[in-house]
Amino acid sequence: MLPSASSVFSFVCLTGLLLALSVSEARAEIVFFSTGRTLSIKEHMVDPTDDGKLILTLRSGGEIVCEPSIIDRIVPDEVPYPEPEEERPAAVAAAAPAVKYGEIIDKVSAEQNVPANLVRALIQVESAYHERARSPKGAMGLMQLMPATARQFAVADPYDPAANIEGGVKYLKSLLQRLPVALALAAYNAGEAAVERFNGIPPYRETQDYVARILRLAGR
């Protein structure tokens, strides 16, 4: 028996509604900074505890706290954010923020004998080059240093770009001296204990994606 016209119409309407809902859920916001840069975020809110500063929630997790004065406008993001596998190694070189701290990265990387392209890729994935980035777990700054790591490498102000990069590169160097590149990156993300416990990259989706993204961006 063929379905009636009314049942077909109802099915089409329901399907359209579900598709519309799924599309709306995929949308977020685009922040237009006064510098001309843009950033796609999950959402934003005013921080009631910090003199009206804005909290920008990143799609990958974590937050950026900033002054409203550095933002021109925030509009709905109508385009789905590209999945990590669509990233290209050239993205790091093409990103404007990489130029902003390029001299610091090159200088510190050369001093510590750590590949600068690896550091650039790590910063891109960790904070998207936002020096005020803060994760839900308390990681801070460009290279997302945890408080204990910042103390270990004498980083007095984790939100100072030069200090953060120096501490982060020194930490990365300490991992690279003991582990292959992929495992060093996994330890940077999930901790050395997790790498030791699983005798390799931990079976965490976040860590596995993290390592793959950095290696891809660094062209390795």
Side-chain angles (χ1 to χ4, degrees):
M1 179 178 179
L2 295 174
S4 66
S6 61
S7 63
V8 172
F9 177 78
S10 299
F11 174 78
V12 171
C13 290
L14 178 59
T15 302
L17 177 59
L18 291 175
L19 287 173
L21 288 175
S22 65
V23 170
S24 64
E25 290 174 354
R27 296 172 182 169
E29 298 174 324
I30 298 179
V31 180
F32 288 82
F33 294 94
S34 57
T35 59
R37 290 168 49 199
T38 61
L39 177 67
S40 181
I41 63 172
K42 183 177 181 181
E43 60 185 359
H44 77 280
M45 63 177 289
V46 176
D47 188 348
T49 66
D50 198 357
D51 297 328
K53 290 185 178 180
L54 288 180
I55 299 177
L56 310 180
T57 302
L58 304 177
R59 288 179 176 271
S60 58
E63 301 171 341
I64 296 172
V65 181
C66 63
E67 297 285 352
S69 60
I70 70 170
I71 295 177
D72 282 340
R73 64 189 186 279
I74 300 177
V75 301
D77 186 355
E78 302 294 336
V79 180
Y81 193 75
E83 295 296 324
E85 55 266 26
E86 296 180 4
E87 294 179 8
R88 298 288 189 267
V92 173
V99 177
K100 184 177 180 181
Y101 303 113
E103 291 185 6
I104 300 174
I105 294 171
D106 291 342
K107 177 178 179 294
V108 176
S109 297
E111 291 174 348
Q112 301 301 322
N113 196 27
V114 173
N117 63 331
L118 190 63
V119 175
R120 291 172 186 267
L122 188 147
I123 293 175
Q124 176 68 33
V125 173
E126 284 284 358
S127 67
Y129 283 90
H130 289 281
E131 65 270 14
R132 298 295 301 178
R134 181 183 65 194
S135 78
K137 296 181 180 179
M140 301 169 286
L142 291 168
M143 297 189 71
Q144 290 290 276
L145 302 180
M146 293 296 290
T149 305
R151 289 193 297 270
Q152 179 182 355
F153 293 95
V155 179
D157 181 6
Y159 294 109
D160 174 70
N164 187 285
I165 290 172
E166 183 174 354
V169 172
K170 286 181 177 178
Y171 177 42
L172 180 60
K173 177 183 179 179
S174 71
L175 297 173
L176 290 170
Q177 288 176 332
R178 302 189 301 276
L179 299 166
V181 175
L183 295 187
L185 294 173
Y188 196 102
N189 175 260
E192 294 180 70
V195 172
E196 293 176 0
R197 182 164 64 251
F198 292 103
N199 194 29
I201 298 176
Y204 311 143
R205 178 62 182 273
E206 175 190 340
T207 302
Q208 292 175 347
D209 289 346
Y210 173 91
V211 172
R213 290 178 65 194
I214 292 178
L215 292 177
R216 185 162 51 247
L217 287 170
R220 288 172 172 258

